[in-house]
């Protein structure tokens, strides 16, 4: 077998892992975020000032926010179920140190602090969990697209061939979900009237870089005979085309139907698509081609997975629009966001029960088809991850109340003292958040997310051309992956410190 055939076989015919293992793996990112925040608060408590050096700030963010995730999907994957316990215990230790140190300085009862926390007003214009969710999906995707080519990345985490739930199967759907959270239909302020199809026009204009990237990837992959997993999207199709087409189609549908009922539209699309799969020869065509033997004749046959899975991804996108609109409802206090957290937990429970019924009586999860079970699974786990990020933010707000003047980047700002009886019309940050420049890797990646993803794809291709990834040893693999992620993060951080956003559309 040639090197190309070896690499294609290495990432093909896999069956995924359990839903429980993916849920456990998803809890690591919020715990890393919590750990970073607590370390920053502890540093301020001990030294009376935030981390001042930009390089120290970058290294801390990389070592705490990125490196543990890289280890967890390679050499530490055999003990994945113990990692959240270890991280949670470490966070509990830091919090205990902060609380005991603070108790020596002031003797305010714990019950009073909790009451003050519940009454605390937060900046209603900025929901940090949205930013963190989108950035972390990008980071996890960037790690996986290169790590999957190394033997240290468990095969069960890679994309399943037909049925199954691999970590990378979730990543594709989560990327779609994260895009919809900040789409024009969600960001458009209520009460502002615009022409009905203005968002469609904006999407047409904003997706052309995705089309260009899709064409560029297609031409480069074919010209250098780069290894491909054909049953993923087809012969000519790729994820950039999927994302572009889903965004435009969703905007068109939301210009016709009311956007505040987009969950009904999402459910309709997913259920109708599943009915067609089950009652017509479409499923057989999608899995086995027009000849029934895996043929790739003609454009539709050659790209059947990419084209037909659009319906499932469209349903996920529309469902996420509804989530985005619900999140942007004005909630000014911690108490309001605790209620929202309860609402998210109920939604996750309903979706997981629906997923169990769908898998048992309709069809197992299939990323290749993007069927109903896949849509339910992705939406449930995205809401679960988002809820964990939101809970992390609330814990960090509580910790910041313990240590007055401390600041954590990409965390909720307290906009009014808790003992004030009136909510101001314009929220004014209090504490140090308005004085300290946001030196934060999450903010840096958020400013240039598409560039980050593009660089990850280019560097992944370069590593695969230059390195025999399949036969690499563990130490070499970890060095390569850390160097690859650090270079990408460093570029984003430099652009961020110079306030450069490479967006021209």
């Amino acid at each position: 077998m040639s090197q190309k055939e070896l690499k294609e076989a290495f990432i093909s015919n896999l069956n995924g892992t359990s839903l429980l293992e993916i849920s456990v793996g998803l809890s690591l990112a919020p715990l890393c975020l919590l750990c970073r925040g607590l370390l920053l608060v502890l540093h301020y408590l001990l030294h009376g000032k935030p981390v001042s050096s930009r390089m120290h700030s970058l290294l801390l963010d990389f070592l705490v926010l990125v490196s543990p995730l890289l280890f967890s999907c390679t050499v530490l994957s055999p003990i994945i179920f113990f990692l959240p316990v270890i991280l949670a215990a470490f966070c509990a230790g830091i919090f205990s140190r902060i609380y005991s140190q603070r108790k020596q300085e002031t003797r305010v009862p714990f019950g009073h602090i909790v009451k003050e926390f519940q009454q605390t007003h937060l900046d209603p214009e900025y929901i940090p969990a949205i930013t963190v969710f989108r950035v972390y999906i990008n980071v996890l995707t960037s790690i996986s697209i290169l790590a999957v080519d190394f033997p240290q990345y468990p095969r069960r985490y890679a994309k399943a061939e037909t049925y199954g739930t691999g970590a990378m199967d979730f990543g594709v759907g989560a990327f779609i979900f994260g895009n919809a959270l900040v789409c024009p239909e969600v960001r458009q302020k209520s009460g502002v009237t615009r022409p009905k199809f203005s968002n469609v026009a904006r999407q047409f204009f904003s997706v052309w870089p995705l089309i260009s990237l899709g064409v560029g990837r297609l031409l480069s992959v074919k010209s250098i005979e780069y290894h491909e997993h054909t049953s993923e999207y087809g012969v000519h199709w790729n994820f950039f085309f999927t994302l572009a087409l889903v965004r435009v189609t969703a905007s068109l549908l939301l210009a016709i139907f009311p956007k505040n009922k987009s969950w009904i539209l999402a459910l309709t699309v997913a259920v109708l698509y599943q009915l067609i799969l089950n009652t017509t020869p479409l499923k057989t065509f999608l899995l086995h081609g027009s000849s029934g033997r895996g043929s790739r004749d003609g454009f539709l046959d050659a790209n059947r997975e990419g084209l037909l899975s659009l319906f499932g991804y469209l349903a996920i996108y529309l469902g996420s629009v509804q989530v985005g609109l619900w999140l942007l409802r004005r909630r000014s206090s911690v108490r309001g966001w605790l209620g929202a957290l309860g609402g998210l937990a109920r939604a996750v429970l309903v979706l997981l029960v629906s997923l169990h019924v769908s898998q048992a009586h309709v069809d197992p999860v299939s990323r290749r088809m993007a069927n109903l079970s896949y849509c339910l699974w992705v939406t449930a786990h995205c809401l679960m991850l988002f809820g964990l990020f939101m809970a992390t933010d609330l814990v960090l707000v509580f910790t910041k109340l313990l240590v007055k003047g401390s600041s954590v980047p990409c965390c909720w700002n307290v906009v009014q003292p808790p003992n004030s009886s009136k909510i101001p019309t314009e929220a004014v940050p209090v504490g140090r958040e308005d004085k300290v420049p946001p030196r934060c890797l999450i903010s840096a990646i958020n400013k240039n997310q598409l560039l980050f993803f593009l660089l990850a794809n280019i560097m992944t291709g370069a590593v695969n051309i230059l390195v025999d990834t399949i036969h690499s040893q563990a130490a070499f693999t970890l060095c390569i992956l850390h160097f690859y992620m650090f270079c990408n993060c460093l570029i984003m951080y430099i652009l961020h410190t110079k306030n450069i956003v490479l967006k021209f559309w």
Side-chain angles (χ1 to χ4, degrees):
M1 293 176 75
S2 68
Q3 190 72 5
K4 179 177 181 286
E5 289 170 331
L6 277 173
K7 289 192 174 185
E8 286 174 354
F10 193 58
I11 56 173
S12 302
N13 302 311
L14 305 170
N15 299 313
T17 185
S18 66
L19 293 175
L20 178 61
E21 186 169 11
I22 290 178
S23 302
V24 169
L26 287 178
S27 68
L28 292 174
L31 284 168
C32 289
L33 187 71
L34 178 61
C35 181
R36 191 278 300 255
L38 292 173
L39 284 171
L40 289 174
V41 174
L42 181 62
H43 181 277
Y44 181 82
L45 181 64
L46 297 176
H47 301 281
K49 61 179 181 179
V51 178
S52 53
S53 165
R54 287 180 178 177
M55 185 50 69
H56 290 167
S57 176
L58 172 61
L59 287 174
L60 174 68
D61 280 2
F62 184 80
L63 291 175
V64 180
L65 299 178
V66 179
S67 196
L69 302 178
L70 209 155
F71 277 104
S72 70
C73 67
T74 51
V75 292
L76 295 184
S77 57
I79 58 165
I80 188 74
F81 287 95
F82 296 102
L83 293 180
V85 179
I86 295 167
L87 274 174
F90 185 64
C91 290
I94 302 172
F95 181 82
S96 174
R97 173 73 191 278
I98 292 170
Y99 184 70
S100 60
Q101 185 85 9
R102 188 251 185 206
K103 202 173 178 183
Q104 293 171 10
E105 298 171 8
T106 171
R107 298 189 175 276
V108 180
F110 187 77
H112 179 77
I113 300 170
V114 173
K115 189 177 177 183
E116 184 183 272
F117 169 65
Q118 290 178 335
Q119 296 171 349
T120 299
H121 292 291
L122 305 173
D123 184 357
E125 301 299 322
Y126 174 58
I127 304 169
I130 294 178
T131 301
V132 174
F133 176 89
R134 297 181 71 242
V135 166
Y136 255 116
I137 292 300
N138 213 331
V139 168
L140 289 166
T141 304
S142 299
I143 291 171
S144 295
I145 59 174
L146 178 57
V148 72
D149 295 313
F150 289 90
Q152 287 73 27
Y153 188 87
R155 296 301 90 194
R156 65 185 185 276
Y157 291 175
K159 287 178 181 174
E161 187 66 30
T162 301
Y163 293 106
T165 51
M168 291 185 74
D169 293 313
F170 170 74
V172 180
F175 211 97
I176 295 282
F177 189 94
N179 260 262
L181 286 176
V182 294
C183 70
E185 289 79 12
V186 172
R187 286 185 283 117
Q188 186 176 320
K189 293 187 182 295
S190 55
V192 177
T193 52
R194 285 181 182 169
K196 201 169 185 182
F197 290 92
S198 65
N199 288 330
V200 183
R202 288 175 68 188
Q203 287 285 30
F204 264 113
F205 181 64
S206 65
V207 300
W208 74 261
L210 293 173
I211 300 292
S212 304
L213 291 173
V215 172
R217 188 184 192 285
L218 172 64
L219 294 176
S220 58
V221 163
K222 298 300 178 186
S223 62
I224 63 173
E225 293 192 351
Y226 192 76
H227 64 278
E228 297 176 87
H229 190 189
T230 308
S231 63
E232 189 178 343
Y233 295 107
V235 178
H236 312 103
W237 204 261
N238 59 57
F239 182 69
F240 292 111
F241 294 142
T242 294
L243 185 56
L245 208 53
V246 163
R247 281 173 54 171
V248 172
T249 308
S251 281
L252 189 59
L253 287 173
L254 293 172
I256 301 168
F257 299 97
K259 66 179 182 179
N260 59 346
K261 301 291 182 188
S262 59
W263 71 271
I264 298 175
L265 198 56
L267 192 59
T268 304
V269 171
V271 170
L272 279 178
Y273 174 52
Q274 186 64 56
L275 279 172
I276 294 169
L277 283 174
N278 285 3
T279 57
T280 69
L282 187 65
K283 185 191 288 187
T284 307
F285 167 71
L286 197 153
L287 297 178
H288 307 292
S290 54
S291 69
R293 294 186 301 274
S295 61
R296 296 282 174 182
D297 304 321
F299 182 77
L300 178 60
D301 200 359
N303 302 286
R304 55 185 183 270
E305 293 91 351
L307 293 168
L308 293 175
S309 63
L310 286 169
F311 294 102
Y313 292 125
L314 178 61
I316 292 170
Y317 189 98
L318 291 168
S320 179
V321 168
Q322 186 73 64
V323 173
L325 291 170
W326 176 75
L327 287 171
L328 290 182
R329 289 179 190 171
R330 197 173 181 87
R331 299 176 184 88
S332 57
S333 68
V334 165
R335 193 186 298 274
W337 282 108
L338 287 171
L341 202 54
L344 276 177
R346 290 190 293 273
V348 169
L349 184 61
V350 169
L351 286 165
L352 288 176
V353 170
S354 304
L355 171 61
H356 176 74
V357 172
S358 178
Q359 290 221 94
H361 302 288
V362 182
D363 214 10
V365 172
S366 172
R367 183 262 323 149
R368 188 174 175 183
M369 290 186 275
N371 57 4
L372 176 62
S373 294
Y374 178 76
C375 297
L376 291 170
W377 171 52
V378 167
T379 307
H381 277 69
C382 281
L383 291 180
M384 184 191 299
L385 180 59
F386 191 87
L388 290 172
F389 280 130
M390 194 186 293
T392 299
D393 282 330
L394 291 172
V395 172
L396 290 175
V397 169
F398 182 81
T399 311
K400 289 195 295 180
L401 287 178
L402 293 176
V403 184
K404 303 292 183 185
S406 60
S407 123
V408 178
C410 286
C411 175
W412 256 309
N413 292 337
V414 176
V415 295
Q416 185 186 16
N419 56 3
S420 182
S421 55
K422 244 174 159 184
I423 301 175
T425 357
E426 287 187 14
V428 181
V430 298
R432 293 188 55 89
E433 274 85 359
D434 55 331
K435 298 174 186 174
V436 179
R439 292 170 186 159
C440 173
L441 183 58
I442 293 171
S443 299
I445 295 172
N446 183 53
K447 273 194 173 182
N448 287 288
Q449 287 213 48
L450 185 57
L451 177 64
F452 182 83
F453 187 58
L454 176 60
L455 281 176
N457 276 270
I458 292 170
M459 285 194 272
T460 295
V463 171
N464 269 283
I465 291 168
L466 299 171
V467 175
D468 179 11
T469 56
I470 296 178
H471 301 103
S472 297
Q473 298 299 313
F476 180 73
T477 297
L478 289 173
C479 288
I480 288 287
L481 290 176
H482 274 89
F483 181 72
Y484 150 78
M485 284 303 297
F486 186 77
C487 285
N488 207 345
C489 290
L490 179 62
I491 292 168
M492 296 303 108
Y493 200 79
I494 291 170
L495 292 174
H496 178 54
T497 54
K498 296 183 180 300
N499 202 25
I500 297 172
V501 180
L502 295 178
K503 186 175 180 179
F504 42 85
W505 56 91

